[in-house]
Each structure stands twice: as C-alpha cells, then as structure tokens.
Amino acid sequence: MKIARVETFLVPPRWLFCRIETDDGVVGWGEPVVEGRAEVVRSAVEVLAEYLVGKDPLRIQDHWQVLSKGGFYRGGPVLSSAVAGIDQALWDITGRALGVPVHTLLGGPVRDTVRVYAWVGGDEPERLKEEVTAQVEAGFSAVKMNAAGRTPPIGSPAETAAVVERVAAAREALGPHRDVAVDFHGRFSAANTRRVLHEIAPLHPLFAEEPVLPEQAHLLPGLVATSSVPLATGERLYGRADFLPVLTAGIAVAQPDLSHAGGISEVTRIASLAETFGAHLAPHCPLGPIALAASLQVAFATPNFLIQEQSRGIHYNKDADLLSYLVDTEPFRFADGQAHRTALPGLGIAVDESAVRAADRSGHAWRNPVWRHADGSFAEW
Ligand SMILES: O=C(O)[C@@H](O)[C@H](O)[C@H](O)CO
Ligand SMILES: [Mg+2]
C-alpha cells in the first residue's frame, strides 16, 4: 500500500482537514490546524506531502521522524500542527487497513468511557449560572469557564471579586459532585494570578489553566508552591521537549492538543512523560471532529487520562460546528457527559466527504480577535 494523494480542506468555522488516500483505496482523515493560521498550516502540509506521496502509510513512526526532524528546523505551532494532522490520518489509515480502532493499536483500551467537559461563558454571574445549568441538564458533569477577558496586569478589588463571584456562581449551579475548570489564558500577570488563585481555591476548581503565558514556565514553580489549585497548561506547547519544563515545574494536568502537538504519536509520548511526574492528561480540543476523535482514541488507551475538552455548543461562527462534517453524529452526543468506546476502525468516525468538499469551496478566514485594554494598549493572551 502506498500513499497516493494528500488533500487539504479549509472548512468553517475555523478548521483545516486533511485527507490521505492510498493506492488501494483506504482513506484516512486528519485535522492539521492552528486557530487563526489555517492557511499557513495548509501550506506546510502541502510541502510535507511532497515527501509522503509514494511511501508506505503504515510506517507512521518513521514518517513522524522525517517530517518533524528532517527539515533541520523543528517544533513550533505550524510545523507541529501540520505533522499532527498527517499523523492522525496515518493512524486512521492503519486502523482501517487492519480493521481495528486506533486505541487497539496503542495497546488496547484502559477504559470504556471518557469524561468530557463543556465550555460555558457569561460575564454576569446569573448568565453563567444559566449556562452551567443548561450543560448539567444536557448531561455534563464538568464545565470550563474563562477567568476573565481583558484583565489589567493587577486587578482592582472589584475586578478580583468579579472573577470570584463568577466561579462561585458556577460552583453553586454545579453542586459538590461536579467540576469547574477555570481558564486564565495567560491573560493575568503572575502576580494577579497568585492573588486570584488564593481567592478561588475554596471553590475547589478542577484545575486552573494557563495560569501564566506558555513562555513563562519558569514562574510556575512559585505558583505551584503557593496555591492548592491544580495547575494545567499545554495548548500552546508542541512536543515532549516543551512539556518537560512545565512538568518539572509541577503542573498537575498536561493539556497537549492532538492537532498542535505532533498528533497521536507525540501526545501518547507526552502522556507517558507526564505519568513519570504524576501528572494527568487532559487534551485541549476546541477544534473539529477529527481532532476530537483522535483525542478520544488516545484517552481510551492512556492510564493517566483525566478529562477531555470538546467544542459542542461553542459557535465560532454560525456556518458550522462540531457535528457538521460527520455522517453519524452519535459518537459525539455525550448524553451522559461521556464518550463511549466503540470498535469502529481507525479514528472511529465517518467523515462526510461531500460536506467537507462543499465547505472548502467557500472556506473561511477566521482570525483571532485583537484585544486592547481601556487605555488602548495591546492586551496579550
Ligand atoms: O482552552 C481553550 O479551549 C481556549 O484556550 C482556546 O484554546 C482558545 O480560545 C483558542 O482557541
Ligand atoms: Mg485554554
């Protein structure tokens, strides 16, 4: 079997899919994308495809090495995401060729269900409470909320109180048997995060995500030492080498993204690395159905897995959502807040190829919002 063709599809709301076809007709799908930079990753996939065409798709490890390291310059979001999507498609092809799910290829299942969480928004506590209640009624046992949008480097008492009030509203709607995770997005200074973590700790968050920016891993040990809130990070880290410092710093939850951190191959390695630090895996995934399917395959085979992000109900624009490109949406219904393991081959989903081809014809030009503080200065996140 040889790789015959690699195609990419720029599909709303903000994703990029790749389809790899073999000469004997087996097809695998992947999702190589960086939010806001989809066209750049598309170009990277096209360059990497030059090497792949004519090769045996089952040699995933060797292809991963060549694609990740053979260009001399390594790592970073664009290359690692391009490799990630290709890697997902090669695992999908391998599973389909052998008639087994990817989690079987990864050593077999260690669990039958995977707990997933839903995102909730809302600036006002009452609105947030409504959103949490709606997700609880939809079956979810865990949600994630933003700590805040634009925050000044050090918040006023009122701004700090507003964050606490919103987390408290979520906690009240959830009760003591469900979980709330709080995403800081690196938008707070470490000093502000330290103060806010102290205030929200009694509300028992599942974890605090990106408590500082990814390039400030050296500040994490101080936060770990001064807070009882488990810290999480990883959506903007792209491989084992990037995770080593944050794991060494003592984070509790590693959050590689299956579409950013080198795909199934590299995320399983990151999971093993995290295990040696006693840390758990909670893959980032505000992305599409293929990234989520890849995440779930890893979750079914990873002992130190905690919880899975997914984008049901997040509408980056009105044109499409998580379910738009699937023949059968059942795998992502999450009626009881869980994904259920199946024996379907490869990534375990059926992509609606005609819907993908049609969506690519209009494409998208999704870009990250640029935020500014009240004084006009750039607000980084
Ligand atoms: O944890 C999350 O899902 C967010 O931080 C998103 O990754 C961010 O809004 C960019 O897509
Ligand atoms: Mg995040």
PDB file of all heavy atoms in Angstrom, residues 64-90:
ATOM      1  N   TRP A  64       6.900  10.214  10.984  1.00  0.00           N
ATOM      2  CA  TRP A  64       6.879  11.268  12.012  1.00  0.00           C
ATOM      3  C   TRP A  64       8.286  11.840  12.221  1.00  0.00           C
ATOM      4  O   TRP A  64       8.476  13.055  12.315  1.00  0.00           O
ATOM      5  CB  TRP A  64       6.320  10.710  13.330  1.00  0.00           C
ATOM      6  CG  TRP A  64       5.951  11.787  14.308  1.00  0.00           C
ATOM      7  CD1 TRP A  64       4.722  12.344  14.480  1.00  0.00           C
ATOM      8  CD2 TRP A  64       6.835  12.466  15.208  1.00  0.00           C
ATOM      9  NE1 TRP A  64       4.780  13.333  15.435  1.00  0.00           N
ATOM     10  CE2 TRP A  64       6.059  13.430  15.905  1.00  0.00           C
ATOM     11  CE3 TRP A  64       8.194  12.367  15.506  1.00  0.00           C
ATOM     12  CZ2 TRP A  64       6.606  14.284  16.870  1.00  0.00           C
ATOM     13  CZ3 TRP A  64       8.741  13.220  16.471  1.00  0.00           C
ATOM     14  CH2 TRP A  64       7.948  14.159  17.131  1.00  0.00           C
ATOM     15  N   GLN A  65       9.275  10.943  12.283  1.00  0.00           N
ATOM     16  CA  GLN A  65      10.660  11.389  12.494  1.00  0.00           C
ATOM     17  C   GLN A  65      11.121  12.282  11.348  1.00  0.00           C
ATOM     18  O   GLN A  65      11.676  13.367  11.571  1.00  0.00           O
ATOM     19  CB  GLN A  65      11.596  10.171  12.613  1.00  0.00           C
ATOM     20  CG  GLN A  65      11.297   9.239  13.774  1.00  0.00           C
ATOM     21  CD  GLN A  65      11.416   9.885  15.137  1.00  0.00           C
ATOM     22  OE1 GLN A  65      12.252  10.753  15.358  1.00  0.00           O
ATOM     23  NE2 GLN A  65      10.555   9.488  16.054  1.00  0.00           N
ATOM     24  N   VAL A  66      10.882  11.822  10.122  1.00  0.00           N
ATOM     25  CA  VAL A  66      11.348  12.587   8.959  1.00  0.00           C
ATOM     26  C   VAL A  66      10.632  13.935   8.867  1.00  0.00           C
ATOM     27  O   VAL A  66      11.264  14.979   8.675  1.00  0.00           O
ATOM     28  CB  VAL A  66      11.138  11.775   7.651  1.00  0.00           C
ATOM     29  CG1 VAL A  66      11.440  12.640   6.424  1.00  0.00           C
ATOM     30  CG2 VAL A  66      12.006  10.520   7.655  1.00  0.00           C
ATOM     31  N   LEU A  67       9.302  13.919   9.023  1.00  0.00           N
ATOM     32  CA  LEU A  67       8.541  15.166   8.866  1.00  0.00           C
ATOM     33  C   LEU A  67       8.864  16.155   9.977  1.00  0.00           C
ATOM     34  O   LEU A  67       8.930  17.368   9.754  1.00  0.00           O
ATOM     35  CB  LEU A  67       7.031  14.881   8.840  1.00  0.00           C
ATOM     36  CG  LEU A  67       6.529  13.986   7.700  1.00  0.00           C
ATOM     37  CD1 LEU A  67       5.012  13.838   7.792  1.00  0.00           C
ATOM     38  CD2 LEU A  67       6.933  14.509   6.330  1.00  0.00           C
ATOM     39  N   SER A  68       9.061  15.652  11.215  1.00  0.00           N
ATOM     40  CA  SER A  68       9.310  16.549  12.356  1.00  0.00           C
ATOM     41  C   SER A  68      10.749  17.037  12.422  1.00  0.00           C
ATOM     42  O   SER A  68      11.002  18.148  12.890  1.00  0.00           O
ATOM     43  CB  SER A  68       8.987  15.845  13.679  1.00  0.00           C
ATOM     44  OG  SER A  68       7.643  15.459  13.722  1.00  0.00           O
ATOM     45  N   LYS A  69      11.683  16.173  11.993  1.00  0.00           N
ATOM     46  CA  LYS A  69      13.096  16.483  12.217  1.00  0.00           C
ATOM     47  C   LYS A  69      13.915  16.609  10.933  1.00  0.00           C
ATOM     48  O   LYS A  69      15.033  17.108  10.973  1.00  0.00           O
ATOM     49  CB  LYS A  69      13.720  15.388  13.099  1.00  0.00           C
ATOM     50  CG  LYS A  69      13.024  15.207  14.439  1.00  0.00           C
ATOM     51  CD  LYS A  69      13.573  13.989  15.181  1.00  0.00           C
ATOM     52  CE  LYS A  69      12.869  13.799  16.515  1.00  0.00           C
ATOM     53  NZ  LYS A  69      13.319  12.563  17.201  1.00  0.00           N
ATOM     54  N   GLY A  70      13.330  16.136   9.823  1.00  0.00           N
ATOM     55  CA  GLY A  70      14.118  16.072   8.585  1.00  0.00           C
ATOM     56  C   GLY A  70      14.324  17.415   7.923  1.00  0.00           C
ATOM     57  O   GLY A  70      15.101  17.517   6.969  1.00  0.00           O
ATOM     58  N   GLY A  71      13.636  18.450   8.389  1.00  0.00           N
ATOM     59  CA  GLY A  71      13.781  19.769   7.770  1.00  0.00           C
ATOM     60  C   GLY A  71      14.767  20.658   8.496  1.00  0.00           C
ATOM     61  O   GLY A  71      14.828  21.856   8.235  1.00  0.00           O
ATOM     62  N   PHE A  72      15.519  20.052   9.428  1.00  0.00           N
ATOM     63  CA  PHE A  72      16.530  20.751  10.239  1.00  0.00           C
ATOM     64  C   PHE A  72      15.879  21.678  11.265  1.00  0.00           C
ATOM     65  O   PHE A  72      16.124  21.568  12.462  1.00  0.00           O
ATOM     66  CB  PHE A  72      17.512  21.530   9.351  1.00  0.00           C
ATOM     67  CG  PHE A  72      18.676  22.122  10.117  1.00  0.00           C
ATOM     68  CD1 PHE A  72      19.636  21.301  10.682  1.00  0.00           C
ATOM     69  CD2 PHE A  72      18.794  23.488  10.286  1.00  0.00           C
ATOM     70  CE1 PHE A  72      20.706  21.840  11.401  1.00  0.00           C
ATOM     71  CE2 PHE A  72      19.858  24.038  11.006  1.00  0.00           C
ATOM     72  CZ  PHE A  72      20.811  23.203  11.555  1.00  0.00           C
ATOM     73  N   TYR A  73      14.991  22.592  10.841  1.00  0.00           N
ATOM     74  CA  TYR A  73      14.276  23.454  11.789  1.00  0.00           C
ATOM     75  C   TYR A  73      13.090  22.693  12.350  1.00  0.00           C
ATOM     76  O   TYR A  73      12.336  22.085  11.599  1.00  0.00           O
ATOM     77  CB  TYR A  73      13.843  24.753  11.118  1.00  0.00           C
ATOM     78  CG  TYR A  73      15.044  25.584  10.748  1.00  0.00           C
ATOM     79  CD1 TYR A  73      15.575  25.543   9.467  1.00  0.00           C
ATOM     80  CD2 TYR A  73      15.677  26.356  11.712  1.00  0.00           C
ATOM     81  CE1 TYR A  73      16.713  26.270   9.138  1.00  0.00           C
ATOM     82  CE2 TYR A  73      16.813  27.086  11.392  1.00  0.00           C
ATOM     83  CZ  TYR A  73      17.332  27.041  10.107  1.00  0.00           C
ATOM     84  OH  TYR A  73      18.463  27.757   9.804  1.00  0.00           O
ATOM     85  N   ARG A  74      12.943  22.710  13.669  1.00  0.00           N
ATOM     86  CA  ARG A  74      11.976  21.821  14.325  1.00  0.00           C
ATOM     87  C   ARG A  74      10.975  22.578  15.192  1.00  0.00           C
ATOM     88  O   ARG A  74      11.237  23.688  15.622  1.00  0.00           O
ATOM     89  CB  ARG A  74      12.728  20.854  15.258  1.00  0.00           C
ATOM     90  CG  ARG A  74      13.775  20.057  14.553  1.00  0.00           C
ATOM     91  CD  ARG A  74      14.627  19.339  15.564  1.00  0.00           C
ATOM     92  NE  ARG A  74      15.693  18.605  14.889  1.00  0.00           N
ATOM     93  CZ  ARG A  74      16.232  17.487  15.340  1.00  0.00           C
ATOM     94  NH1 ARG A  74      15.812  16.984  16.487  1.00  0.00           N
ATOM     95  NH2 ARG A  74      17.177  16.885  14.679  1.00  0.00           N
ATOM     96  N   GLY A  75       9.889  21.906  15.492  1.00  0.00           N
ATOM     97  CA  GLY A  75       8.950  22.366  16.504  1.00  0.00           C
ATOM     98  C   GLY A  75       8.112  23.566  16.082  1.00  0.00           C
ATOM     99  O   GLY A  75       8.017  23.915  14.915  1.00  0.00           O
ATOM    100  N   GLY A  76       7.488  24.185  17.069  1.00  0.00           N
ATOM    101  CA  GLY A  76       6.645  25.348  16.827  1.00  0.00           C
ATOM    102  C   GLY A  76       5.255  24.962  16.371  1.00  0.00           C
ATOM    103  O   GLY A  76       5.009  23.823  15.986  1.00  0.00           O
ATOM    104  N   PRO A  77       4.319  25.927  16.425  1.00  0.00           N
ATOM    105  CA  PRO A  77       2.925  25.604  16.136  1.00  0.00           C
ATOM    106  C   PRO A  77       2.653  25.162  14.700  1.00  0.00           C
ATOM    107  O   PRO A  77       1.861  24.237  14.478  1.00  0.00           O
ATOM    108  CB  PRO A  77       2.175  26.904  16.469  1.00  0.00           C
ATOM    109  CG  PRO A  77       3.212  27.968  16.505  1.00  0.00           C
ATOM    110  CD  PRO A  77       4.487  27.318  16.885  1.00  0.00           C
ATOM    111  N   VAL A  78       3.262  25.787  13.717  1.00  0.00           N
ATOM    112  CA  VAL A  78       2.883  25.496  12.325  1.00  0.00           C
ATOM    113  C   VAL A  78       3.357  24.106  11.910  1.00  0.00           C
ATOM    114  O   VAL A  78       2.563  23.262  11.468  1.00  0.00           O
ATOM    115  CB  VAL A  78       3.421  26.581  11.368  1.00  0.00           C
ATOM    116  CG1 VAL A  78       3.162  26.180   9.916  1.00  0.00           C
ATOM    117  CG2 VAL A  78       2.757  27.920  11.670  1.00  0.00           C
ATOM    118  N   LEU A  79       4.652  23.838  12.045  1.00  0.00           N
ATOM    119  CA  LEU A  79       5.163  22.525  11.652  1.00  0.00           C
ATOM    120  C   LEU A  79       4.531  21.412  12.492  1.00  0.00           C
ATOM    121  O   LEU A  79       4.092  20.381  11.957  1.00  0.00           O
ATOM    122  CB  LEU A  79       6.692  22.490  11.786  1.00  0.00           C
ATOM    123  CG  LEU A  79       7.328  21.119  11.488  1.00  0.00           C
ATOM    124  CD1 LEU A  79       7.112  20.724  10.026  1.00  0.00           C
ATOM    125  CD2 LEU A  79       8.826  21.125  11.811  1.00  0.00           C
ATOM    126  N   SER A  80       4.465  21.619  13.812  1.00  0.00           N
ATOM    127  CA  SER A  80       3.950  20.550  14.683  1.00  0.00           C
ATOM    128  C   SER A  80       2.481  20.268  14.416  1.00  0.00           C
ATOM    129  O   SER A  80       2.020  19.135  14.564  1.00  0.00           O
ATOM    130  CB  SER A  80       4.158  20.914  16.152  1.00  0.00           C
ATOM    131  OG  SER A  80       5.530  21.160  16.397  1.00  0.00           O
ATOM    132  N   SER A  81       1.709  21.298  14.016  1.00  0.00           N
ATOM    133  CA  SER A  81       0.297  21.091  13.695  1.00  0.00           C
ATOM    134  C   SER A  81       0.142  20.403  12.345  1.00  0.00           C
ATOM    135  O   SER A  81      -0.747  19.559  12.169  1.00  0.00           O
ATOM    136  CB  SER A  81      -0.459  22.422  13.715  1.00  0.00           C
ATOM    137  OG  SER A  81      -0.382  22.999  15.002  1.00  0.00           O
ATOM    138  N   ALA A  82       0.988  20.765  11.386  1.00  0.00           N
ATOM    139  CA  ALA A  82       0.949  20.088  10.081  1.00  0.00           C
ATOM    140  C   ALA A  82       1.262  18.599  10.264  1.00  0.00           C
ATOM    141  O   ALA A  82       0.543  17.724   9.743  1.00  0.00           O
ATOM    142  CB  ALA A  82       1.947  20.736   9.117  1.00  0.00           C
ATOM    143  N   VAL A  83       2.312  18.307  11.014  1.00  0.00           N
ATOM    144  CA  VAL A  83       2.670  16.907  11.286  1.00  0.00           C
ATOM    145  C   VAL A  83       1.547  16.212  12.046  1.00  0.00           C
ATOM    146  O   VAL A  83       1.210  15.052  11.768  1.00  0.00           O
ATOM    147  CB  VAL A  83       3.999  16.821  12.078  1.00  0.00           C
ATOM    148  CG1 VAL A  83       4.284  15.383  12.509  1.00  0.00           C
ATOM    149  CG2 VAL A  83       5.161  17.365  11.244  1.00  0.00           C
ATOM    150  N   ALA A  84       0.918  16.950  12.975  1.00  0.00           N
ATOM    151  CA  ALA A  84      -0.155  16.365  13.802  1.00  0.00           C
ATOM    152  C   ALA A  84      -1.299  15.850  12.932  1.00  0.00           C
ATOM    153  O   ALA A  84      -1.786  14.726  13.121  1.00  0.00           O
ATOM    154  CB  ALA A  84      -0.668  17.394  14.806  1.00  0.00           C
ATOM    155  N   GLY A  85      -1.743  16.677  12.000  1.00  0.00           N
ATOM    156  CA  GLY A  85      -2.875  16.269  11.162  1.00  0.00           C
ATOM    157  C   GLY A  85      -2.525  15.089  10.274  1.00  0.00           C
ATOM    158  O   GLY A  85      -3.331  14.166  10.077  1.00  0.00           O
ATOM    159  N   ILE A  86      -1.326  15.114   9.716  1.00  0.00           N
ATOM    160  CA  ILE A  86      -0.869  13.992   8.881  1.00  0.00           C
ATOM    161  C   ILE A  86      -0.781  12.722   9.722  1.00  0.00           C
ATOM    162  O   ILE A  86      -1.221  11.647   9.308  1.00  0.00           O
ATOM    163  CB  ILE A  86       0.502  14.332   8.234  1.00  0.00           C
ATOM    164  CG1 ILE A  86       0.320  15.432   7.182  1.00  0.00           C
ATOM    165  CG2 ILE A  86       1.152  13.083   7.637  1.00  0.00           C
ATOM    166  CD1 ILE A  86       1.630  16.033   6.678  1.00  0.00           C
ATOM    167  N   ASP A  87      -0.227  12.865  10.925  1.00  0.00           N
ATOM    168  CA  ASP A  87      -0.084  11.725  11.839  1.00  0.00           C
ATOM    169  C   ASP A  87      -1.450  11.108  12.156  1.00  0.00           C
ATOM    170  O   ASP A  87      -1.616   9.883  12.112  1.00  0.00           O
ATOM    171  CB  ASP A  87       0.599  12.208  13.123  1.00  0.00           C
ATOM    172  CG  ASP A  87       0.784  11.106  14.155  1.00  0.00           C
ATOM    173  OD1 ASP A  87       1.803  10.388  14.081  1.00  0.00           O
ATOM    174  OD2 ASP A  87      -0.099  10.961  15.025  1.00  0.00           O
ATOM    175  N   GLN A  88      -2.447  11.949  12.435  1.00  0.00           N
ATOM    176  CA  GLN A  88      -3.804  11.432  12.706  1.00  0.00           C
ATOM    177  C   GLN A  88      -4.311  10.625  11.516  1.00  0.00           C
ATOM    178  O   GLN A  88      -4.888   9.542  11.683  1.00  0.00           O
ATOM    179  CB  GLN A  88      -4.775  12.592  12.969  1.00  0.00           C
ATOM    180  CG  GLN A  88      -4.513  13.377  14.241  1.00  0.00           C
ATOM    181  CD  GLN A  88      -5.272  14.710  14.240  1.00  0.00           C
ATOM    182  OE1 GLN A  88      -6.102  14.977  13.372  1.00  0.00           O
ATOM    183  NE2 GLN A  88      -4.980  15.565  15.218  1.00  0.00           N
ATOM    184  N   ALA A  89      -4.109  11.160  10.323  1.00  0.00           N
ATOM    185  CA  ALA A  89      -4.612  10.479   9.121  1.00  0.00           C
ATOM    186  C   ALA A  89      -3.893   9.136   8.909  1.00  0.00           C
ATOM    187  O   ALA A  89      -4.516   8.157   8.474  1.00  0.00           O
ATOM    188  CB  ALA A  89      -4.444  11.383   7.899  1.00  0.00           C
ATOM    189  N   LEU A  90      -2.593   9.091   9.222  1.00  0.00           N
ATOM    190  CA  LEU A  90      -1.858   7.826   9.048  1.00  0.00           C
ATOM    191  C   LEU A  90      -2.317   6.772  10.060  1.00  0.00           C
ATOM    192  O   LEU A  90      -2.427   5.582   9.729  1.00  0.00           O
ATOM    193  CB  LEU A  90      -0.343   8.070   9.161  1.00  0.00           C
ATOM    194  CG  LEU A  90       0.271   8.969   8.069  1.00  0.00           C
ATOM    195  CD1 LEU A  90       1.778   9.118   8.293  1.00  0.00           C
ATOM    196  CD2 LEU A  90      -0.004   8.421   6.667  1.00  0.00           C
TER     197      LEU A  90
END
